[in-house]
């Protein structure tokens, strides 16, 4: 999860000396005064941010006037069920203690994320829960180092406590389940390895292949950002190949919703022509026929842990030294009607192709 470094304290006088301007010019530029030439003001702001002064100034403003009335919840997508359901539950839990949750959606854009973090700090939130963008900026990490923070679903290498789903074992079990049914051509649709949960799920898939004695190099795989649109696109890419998989595992809730829809639209019969394992809450797939084999995690438990952990962090302040222990909620594999024996002839075809 990485180590959080301390932010060096930088003064207005330091910035003035480094840029060879007066301290008054520095102050005016940082406060948005029109008295400073735009190009000079931009240079001052960029230098101040690079040196950590902006983060320090925001942190000081926060500590000078903060209450627990408001906290932030920073998520990449609002239409992803894992985030929307947990955000709603966290808001309910926090409101019981008189704390209101301010929700911001980064759309997985690191620049947008940084601006939103600055706005939240300027609004004097007491702390925040964040599911960081795939490529979070160092400036955002630096800003987070001054705040009471809880990471959620995704880790970004800061020394903050976090709540995550433990998916690796369930992914391995899904592969072993399909292998026991005779599937040797297994496809995987997951999220990028740059995401901590994407990397963990892929480790589980690869370990399952190893335990099943299947060729890891033959895994048909697409790693895409977790959106329903990408779920559909990924399934179509995998199924339209020259040797499509006979079984498919999807690692991610939003991907699974799009994937299940795309499989239905393809006309393939489950499980006669294709076995499918999805990820997510059973209510998302309640109308599926046959019922879908799925990997689930208790989102209510995740939300409860995140809300409680944020309360603990607000009491103790930002982490200083050491690395907090993460909390994990274990995912479970639930077998249902969408997985069955490999289609007849597929194993023989695979053996012939390997000769």
């Amino acid at each position: 999860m990485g180590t959080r470094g301390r932010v060096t304290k930088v003064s207005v006088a330091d910035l003035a000396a480094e840029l060879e301007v007066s301290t008054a010019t520095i102050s005016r530029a940082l406060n948005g005064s029109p008295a400073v030439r735009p190009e000079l003001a931009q240079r001052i702001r960029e230098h101040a941010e690079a040196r950590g002064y902006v983060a320090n100034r925001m942190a000081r403003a926060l500590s000078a006037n903060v209450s627990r009335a408001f906290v932030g919840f920073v998520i990449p997508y609002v239409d992803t069920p894992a985030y929307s359901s947990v955000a709603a539950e966290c808001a309910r839990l926090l409101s019981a203690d008189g704390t209101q949750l301010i929700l911001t959606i980064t759309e997985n854009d690191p620049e947008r994320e940084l601006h939103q973090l600055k706005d939240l700090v300027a609004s004097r939130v007491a702390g925040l829960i964040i599911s960081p963008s795939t490529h979070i900026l160092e400036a955002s990490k630096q800003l987070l180092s001054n705040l009471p923070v809880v990471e959620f679903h995704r880790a970004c290498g800061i020394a903050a406590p976090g709540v995550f789903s433990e998916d690796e074992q369930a992914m391995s079990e899904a592969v072993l389940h399909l292998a026991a049914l005779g599937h040797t051509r297994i496809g995987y649709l997951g999220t990028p390895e740059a995401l901590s949960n994407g990397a963990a799920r892929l480790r589980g898939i690869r370990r399952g292949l190893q335990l099943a004695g299947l060729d890891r190099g033959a895994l048909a795989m697409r790693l895409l950002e977790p959106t329903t649109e990408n779920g559909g696109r990924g399934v179509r890419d995998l199924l339209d190949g020259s040797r499509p998989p006979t079984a498919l595992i999807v690692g991610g809730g939003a991907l699974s919703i799009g994937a299940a829809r795309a499989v239905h639209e393809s006309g393939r019969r489950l499980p006669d022509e294709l076995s499918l394992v999805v990820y997510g809450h059973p209510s998302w797939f309640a109308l599926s026929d046959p019922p879908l084999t799925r990997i689930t995690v208790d989102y209510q438990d995740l939300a409860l842990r995140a809300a409680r952990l944020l309360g603990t962090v607000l009491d103790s302040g930002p982490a200083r030294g050491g690395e907090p222990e993460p909390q994990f909620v274990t995912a479970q594999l639930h077998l249902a009607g969408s997985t069955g024996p490999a289609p007849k002839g597929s194993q023989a075809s695979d053996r012939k192709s390997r000769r």
Side-chain angles (χ1 to χ4, degrees):
M1 302 263 289
T3 302
R4 182 197 311 233
R6 292 180 181 273
V7 178
T8 303
K9 292 185 178 180
V10 181
S11 68
V12 170
D14 293 329
L15 298 176
E18 291 163 2
L19 293 173
E20 298 182 345
V21 298
S22 69
T23 56
T25 299
I26 295 289
S27 296
R28 292 190 189 102
L30 294 178
N31 289 318
S33 171
V36 183
R37 298 192 317 276
E39 62 273 15
L40 176 58
Q42 180 67 19
R43 184 160 67 94
I44 290 172
R45 286 192 293 270
E46 290 176 353
H47 183 72
E49 185 164 338
R51 292 284 281 115
Y53 176 79
V54 173
N56 285 334
R57 183 179 64 163
M58 287 182 171
R60 285 195 295 271
L62 177 66
S63 61
N65 183 18
V66 69
S67 72
R68 295 175 68 145
F70 298 99
V71 297
F73 198 127
V74 183
I75 58 175
Y77 305 106
V78 72
D79 59 348
T80 299
Y83 293 119
S84 58
S85 59
V86 170
E89 182 64 11
C90 276
R92 186 187 68 81
L93 293 167
L94 290 166
S95 66
D97 293 328
T99 299
Q100 299 301 309
L101 185 145
I102 301 174
L103 181 67
T104 66
I105 300 103
T106 68
E107 297 180 354
N108 210 40
D109 180 341
E111 292 286 350
R112 181 185 177 96
E113 179 178 59
L114 177 59
H115 289 307
Q116 290 177 347
L117 288 173
K118 289 179 177 179
D119 288 343
L120 286 170
V121 173
S123 300
R124 292 186 170 86
V125 293
L128 57 88
I129 301 171
I130 182 170
S131 185
S133 64
T134 307
H135 303 290
I136 185 172
L137 301 175
E138 287 301 319
S140 294
K141 293 182 183 181
Q142 187 179 59
L143 186 56
L144 291 170
S145 70
N146 291 288
L147 292 168
V149 173
V150 171
E151 290 186 301
F152 178 71
H153 267 328
R154 303 174 174 185
C156 65
I158 61 175
V163 179
F164 311 97
S165 56
E166 173 49 69
D167 301 324
E168 189 171 339
Q169 180 61 31
M171 288 291 169
S172 294
E173 291 174 359
V175 174
L176 291 171
H177 166 62
L178 294 171
L181 291 170
H183 293 276
T184 56
R185 298 203 310 268
I186 299 174
Y188 176 61
L189 173 60
T191 54
E193 286 187 270
L195 295 174
S196 60
N197 53 6
R201 292 165 184 167
L202 184 56
R203 284 196 304 269
I205 293 291
R206 288 172 170 164
R207 183 160 63 90
L209 292 172
Q210 182 180 19
L211 292 173
L214 298 178
D215 181 8
R216 172 175 156 178
L219 176 70
M221 179 171 62
R222 295 292 185 275
L223 301 180
L224 304 170
E225 291 293 341
T227 66
T228 55
E229 292 80 7
N230 281 342
R233 180 162 64 90
V235 163
R236 288 188 290 272
D237 287 347
L238 290 167
L239 296 183
D240 289 346
S242 57
R243 296 182 69 251
T246 61
L248 181 62
I249 301 172
V250 188
L255 289 177
S256 290
I257 293 173
R261 184 181 303 134
V263 168
H264 176 74
E265 292 171 351
S266 76
R268 285 173 169 81
R269 299 191 311 275
L270 300 177
D272 298 334
E273 296 178 309
L274 177 72
S275 285
L276 177 64
V277 179
V278 295
Y279 186 106
H281 195 275
S283 64
W284 306 345
F285 313 105
L287 299 180
S288 297
D289 184 20
L292 302 184
T293 294
R294 63 192 183 277
I295 295 170
T296 68
V297 65
D298 189 336
Y299 288 111
Q300 186 171 3
D301 190 12
L302 284 170
L304 180 61
R305 288 171 182 253
R308 286 177 174 172
L309 190 54
L310 180 60
T312 300
V313 173
L314 290 176
D315 290 336
S316 59
R320 289 291 181 258
E323 187 167 318
E325 287 292 325
Q327 296 186 22
F328 290 98
V329 177
T330 302
Q332 305 288 335
L333 175 66
H334 301 271
L335 304 183
S338 66
T339 51
K344 292 181 179 180
S346 63
Q347 293 173 302
S349 175
D350 288 341
R351 286 195 294 269
K352 183 178 180 180
S353 68
R354 289 197 292 268
R355 290 175 183 169

